[in-house]
């Protein structure tokens, strides 16, 4: 399967508008357009690429990476996204550790109400966790070990330690794209990084 083309969209404020500069394969230079809202930036950029390449917009099968022109803002956005992802991973870890502990206490003969009392959850939640543990039979998941002392550092450093693909020397749009991709994996119930709180 061939690698998809990737176009970059650099957005900067221009009065009430966002001024966009689009660069990528087949474009001899950066081309400019504008939108009122960033949510429309990709569609506008796709239309622009189709026009410049003289093809129908449906033929532009490519990825679009958006970043803001203000480097300080781009850095702040990346740090915020990392922190939010770290919190989500930590929440998943807590859910997985809780499920493991519930299963262990049940094997030791503890009743649901006692397990719930010890962990501060309802006995109904205990039953649900045991049911899910039995159904899933513990599929491998990307979690952080609670026994590693180096994981006592900041949440951002924690997340970076499990994101080797997000390299410091990547361009800002690439780092943000990788982080957004991980965020989508975290939202996907079918993925190994599913958000344990979703749908409950």
């Amino acid at each position: 399967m061939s690698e998809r083309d990737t176009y970059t969209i650099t957005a900067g404020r221009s009065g009430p508008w966002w001024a966009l500069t689009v660069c990528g394969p087949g474009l001899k230079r950066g081309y400019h357009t504008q939108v009122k809202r960033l949510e429309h930036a990709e569609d506008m950029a796709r239309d622009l690429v189709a026009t410049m390449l003289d093809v129908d917009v449906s033929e532009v099968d490519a990825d679009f990476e958006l970043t803001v022109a203000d480097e300080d803002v781009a850095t702040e956005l990346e740090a915020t996204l990392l922190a939010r992802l770290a919190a989500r991973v930590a929440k998943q870890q807590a859910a997985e550790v809780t499920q493991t502990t519930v299963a262990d206490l049940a094997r030791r003969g503890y009743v649901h109400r006692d397990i719930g009392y010890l962990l501060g959850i309802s006995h109904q939640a205990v039953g649900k966790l045991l049911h899910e543990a039995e159904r899933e039979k513990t599929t491998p998941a990307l979690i952080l070990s609670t026994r590693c002392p180096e994981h006592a550092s900041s949440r951002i450093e924690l997340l970076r330690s499990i994101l080797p693909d997000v390299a410091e020397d990547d361009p800002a749009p690439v780092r943000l794209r990788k982080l957004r991709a991980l965020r989508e994996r975290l939202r996907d119930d079918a993925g190994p990084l599913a958000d344990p709180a979703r749908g409950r």
Side-chain angles (χ1 to χ4, degrees):
M1 183 176 178
S2 60
E3 187 173 334
R4 286 161 59 93
D5 287 336
T6 299
Y7 293 89
T8 60
I9 307 170
T10 303
R13 292 297 296 167
S14 178
W17 294 82
W18 284 97
L20 309 178
T21 302
V22 183
C23 302
L27 302 181
K28 295 180 180 180
R29 58 178 176 81
Y31 287 88
H32 305 287
T33 185
Q34 60 184 10
V35 290
K36 275 289 185 72
R37 297 186 181 277
L38 284 180
E39 62 191 286
H40 302 138
E42 182 174 331
D43 289 340
M44 184 64 75
R46 192 178 299 274
D47 287 341
L48 185 149
V49 169
T51 300
M52 292 300 104
L53 299 183
D54 194 24
V55 299
D56 188 86
V57 68
S58 63
E59 297 179 49
V60 183
D61 183 24
D63 292 320
F64 289 80
E65 298 173 352
L66 184 144
T67 190
V68 292
D70 188 323
E71 291 186 6
D72 289 339
V73 173
T75 299
E76 186 176 358
L77 289 171
E78 180 185 350
T80 300
L81 185 53
L82 278 167
R84 293 179 65 187
L85 289 171
R88 191 182 293 271
V89 170
K91 186 174 183 178
Q92 178 190 350
Q93 181 190 11
E96 291 171 343
V97 171
T98 299
Q99 186 178 65
T100 298
T101 301
V102 165
D104 181 59
L105 293 177
R107 282 193 297 270
R108 293 171 183 268
Y110 287 55
V111 299
H112 289 196
R113 289 188 180 276
D114 288 341
I115 296 173
Y117 177 79
L118 291 170
L119 292 176
I121 60 179
S122 70
H123 67 89
Q124 293 95 333
V126 170
K128 183 176 181 180
L129 287 170
L130 288 172
H131 175 72
E132 290 176 352
E134 180 65 25
R135 183 184 60 195
E136 295 168 5
K137 292 297 184 182
T138 317
T139 55
L142 179 58
I143 61 173
L144 305 177
S145 171
T146 56
R147 295 185 175 90
C148 295
E150 62 269 22
H151 288 155
S153 57
S154 74
R155 292 186 304 170
I156 301 263
E157 292 170 344
L158 267 170
L159 191 59
R160 284 193 184 281
S161 73
I162 63 168
L163 290 175
D165 290 339
V166 183
E168 291 291 344
D169 56 353
D170 278 339
V174 175
R175 291 199 306 271
L176 288 172
R177 174 175 56 81
K178 290 177 178 179
L179 291 171
R180 288 175 183 136
L182 177 58
R183 179 184 61 191
E184 294 309 310
R185 288 177 59 199
L186 285 165
R187 287 178 175 173
D188 184 359
D189 286 340
L193 287 173
D195 181 354
R198 189 182 181 197
R200 294 187 183 178

